Amino acid sequence: MQLRPTLCCPHPERPKWWYYVQPLYSISLAVFAARVANLQRGNLNTRLAKLDAPDSPFAALILAISGLDRLGAGERITCPIEFPDMMHSVGQGALAVESRSGDAATRDVLRTVGHWPTEWRVGAERGLLRVLEGGCSVPVGVETHLTELEGADAESAQLQYTPGTFPAPTASSPLLHFSGILPADAPFPQPGEEPKLLQRRAKLNLKASVTSTDGSRQVVYEPGDVVVTNYQEAVAWGEECARQMRVVGAGEILDEIEAERRAREEEMLEKSRAELAARAAIDDTEGQECTRPGKENETVPPPECPHDAGQGQRLAA
């Protein structure tokens, strides 16, 4: 499934403004969209109808390739927006299922539906994000590709990590450590049992970027292909890429974003403290009013109801 965005125009030629924004596009699509784009609601057909209308104010739409392909509208794609113009978030489009530890039945079911190339790619992406210490507030983009090597290509490939760098998985290891190397028809190893693992080699390509929140600075890292043999190596490569990115400038951007986040949190905390202090002062004032000298045994009459007062006057008359 392709979740990459695409530019969809009402005619096969690109809109003129595309050429003018191209130099800015790689800086920050989010900043560009916030300043230029207009959010359109509705399903895909509704949006395309708005684009094709004779009086349409739009020159193009940014949509997901997957949606256009599913509806057979792939011919409407004018220009896929790819690296380095745009990258997806870590783990974008990947589906994960979590099970209880020790649940062998669920574990065996998950083994039959797992897709090891996706697991290795997501492992590398999550390893990158973990070292960058990024989250929802950090603009980290990533793009990964994985190609399995076979035959002579696999035999002649130069491995990124020396065999044995990471211990072989055992019965107590996470299920992901067996991703792609435990045969689908082989039973899960029992404690103390040494599993028979597949010798698999795959070419992993990872590209990543870290962008400042205002879009003025961006660090793009494209180290090239490496050959990995298991899930743990894919994760380690993502972590190594993140460390290199921090050295070449991403660390400075991330530190500034973290400082801004802490400043906002401190501002919110101070505001909450001020509100609590003001509320406490009001409570103290009301408490002092109720405990004035000579007021302890004073009976406060209930407020009179206008209807009751009128009734009393009529009875007295």
Side-chain angles (χ1 to χ4, degrees), residues 175-186:
L175 181 59
L176 281 173
H177 287 192
F178 292 93
S179 173
I181 58 176
L182 182 65
D185 56 352

Side-chain angles (χ1 to χ4, degrees), residues 20-293:
Y20 296 108
V21 304
Q22 182 69 25
L24 301 176
Y25 207 67
S26 61
I27 296 178
S28 176
L29 180 69
V31 174
F32 165 76
R35 296 178 180 177
V36 180
N38 188 310
L39 180 62
Q40 292 299 304
R41 300 185 180 277
N43 57 37
L44 184 58
N45 291 331
T46 300
R47 298 183 187 186
L48 290 176
K50 293 180 180 179
L51 177 66
D52 296 335
D55 57 347
S56 174
F58 308 112
L61 292 177
I62 297 178
L63 302 168
I65 289 179
S66 58
L68 291 167
D69 287 342
R70 280 199 300 267
L71 294 182
E75 73 281 355
R76 299 297 304 269
I77 297 176
T78 303
C79 177
I81 305 175
E82 301 175 322
F83 177 87
D85 298 323
M86 185 177 183
M87 286 174 278
H88 57 77
S89 301
V90 169
Q92 182 73 43
L95 301 179
V97 180
E98 185 176 4
S99 66
R100 298 170 297 176
S101 60
D103 189 345
T106 303
R107 179 198 62 205
D108 292 339
V109 171
L110 295 179
R111 286 184 55 202
T112 63
V113 298
H115 186 246
W116 71 266
T118 299
E119 292 169 348
W120 290 24
R121 290 174 58 188
V122 173
E125 295 176 8
R126 295 186 66 186
L128 174 98
L129 188 65
R130 181 165 51 252
V131 173
L132 291 178
E133 298 180 352
C136 299
S137 61
V138 180
V140 176
V142 66
E143 181 174 319
T144 54
H145 298 278
L146 189 79
T147 305
E148 184 177 8
L149 301 178
E150 299 178 345
D153 292 336
E155 295 177 0
S156 61
Q158 183 177 358
L159 303 181
Q160 179 65 24
Y161 299 99
T162 304
T165 301
F166 301 94
T170 63
S172 59
S173 300
L175 181 59
L176 281 173
H177 287 192
F178 292 93
S179 173
I181 58 176
L182 182 65
D185 56 352
F188 198 81
Q190 298 299 319
E193 181 182 358
E194 184 176 350
K196 295 182 179 180
L197 305 177
L198 298 174
Q199 300 298 320
R200 195 184 295 276
R201 297 182 178 184
K203 181 172 61 177
L204 174 63
N205 181 279
L206 183 148
K207 308 180 186 73
S209 69
V210 174
T211 309
S212 60
T213 52
D214 62 358
S216 61
R217 290 173 297 158
Q218 183 182 51
V219 174
V220 179
Y221 190 67
E222 188 179 5
D225 299 334
V226 296
V227 178
V228 294
T229 63
N230 55 55
Y231 173 84
Q232 297 180 79
E233 292 184 2
V235 174
W237 178 241
E239 295 173 345
E240 185 173 339
C241 290
R243 286 189 285 269
Q244 293 297 324
M245 291 185 68
R246 295 192 71 95
V247 171
V248 299
E252 181 180 350
I253 296 176
L254 293 170
D255 291 343
E256 291 179 1
I257 294 175
E258 178 64 16
E260 293 174 0
R261 184 187 66 81
R262 291 183 178 180
R264 289 194 301 269
E265 291 181 351
E266 186 63 28
E267 182 180 355
M268 294 175 61
L269 183 59
E270 289 297 330
K271 183 178 179 180
S272 299
R273 289 172 178 170
E275 292 177 352
L276 290 175
R279 192 176 305 167
I282 294 175
D283 293 341
D284 291 343
T285 302
E286 293 178 350
Q288 293 174 3
E289 183 69 21
C290 295
T291 58
R292 286 183 301 171

